[in-house]
Amino acid sequence: MSRVGTVRGRSMRHESTSRSEAGFLIPSISGDFSVSDLVRAAAERAVKISHVARPDSRVDTPAMSGTVFGEELQPGLLLTAYDLVYTADSQIEVEVDRSISCAIMLEGETAALEVMGYPPVVSPPRRVIVVGYGERLSCSRPWRAMQHNRAFGVTLRPCFFDRFADLVDDGGLDVLRSYLDPGLHSSLLPPSRKLIDLAENTLRQPYSGALGAIHREAQALGFILETASMLQEEQRLVARIGRRHYDRVVHARTMLDHNLVDPPKLLELARELGINVTTLQANFKAAFGTTVFGYVRARRLEMGRILIVEHGVGIAEAGYRVGFTNPAAFTAAYRRHFGLPPSLDRKNTQIVPH
């Protein structure tokens, strides 16, 4: 996620602003804008951006179209979101101050974040990536023409934690705060329906005015608390089964996520990880609270729900796409997992305007 909070330029079509309780300007901008617009906007927020364009592109030519939103909800707690289509190949370099970014790419794929002096940071779609910049670091990320991305993120600055100095202990936000230690730190969280829902609910902006500000702050804080809870759980599991075993089952889970419709067999997974099947099953269950088969089944159903509820795909077709050849079996499994049939779930999640 970019830490840019405002975008101003001649190519913009619309800009609306309000003020938060902390007194910071809240822009919501839609239109076409160039990289130079982002550079000027960043300067207003003391974020240094230097554009690195491809030879056939121009810094003042519109490079993206869509909406960018940014808001400082309270001191040290920033919310950012964007829904953009990039209209030209280009790249941005950013110098990021000491902070923590918790972000999720809700739609589209993006190139890895390059951080000078560190390995690339990869952020798969619909997974929260936590990146801790323990010092001012230079970062860059390219994009390609016609690439579409919709993303949500929350940034925490050190002053956010300073207010809780007497309250934060090892069981609370301290795990998250450790990402401010010197250097670069990153963690890719497991798939989380709760985090996706918090991000989506924030982007829908169901309220306006003061209620809207309260809603955004509540959702952002919920997003941070759930992220901290998941990081704390990871720390607990590492202490329980050891870092090496934990990293192995995380790798196994990633392999399953990439092949949910035709997942690798247990023996194939075990061979890839260099362990036996019994150890794989035991550590997977200890880490994730379910069997390998149970995990694959749950993820298939979650992906089916996304197709039905968010993309309007038919129930039978959604089941087939995620590996169910029998529509009745898909509906029955869906009901057991979510507590209601897919037809009712789709009806209940239709957005009602406020």
Side-chain angles (χ1 to χ4, degrees), residues 1 6 30 95 202 207 333 354:
M1 291 290 295
T6 60
S30 299
E95 289 189 2
T202 307
Y207 305 100
H354 286 72

Side-chain angles (χ1 to χ4, degrees), residues 274-346:
I275 56 178
N276 60 53
V277 171
T278 301
T279 300
L280 169 61
Q281 290 176 314
N283 288 335
F284 197 96
K285 182 72 177 290
F288 307 125
T290 185
T291 63
V292 171
F293 174 78
Y295 177 80
V296 171
R297 191 175 186 84
R299 290 287 291 135
R300 283 176 171 176
L301 291 168
E302 289 164 4
M303 293 304 297
R305 183 178 188 271
I306 291 169
L307 292 173
I308 292 168
V309 173
E310 299 182 15
H311 297 281
V313 176
I315 293 170
E317 174 65 18
Y320 177 76
R321 290 192 192 181
V322 297
F324 286 82
T325 56
N326 187 321
F330 173 66
T331 298
Y334 194 105
R335 183 194 292 268
R336 286 194 300 271
H337 188 76
F338 295 110
L340 73 173
S343 56
L344 184 57
D345 194 10
R346 172 155 54 193

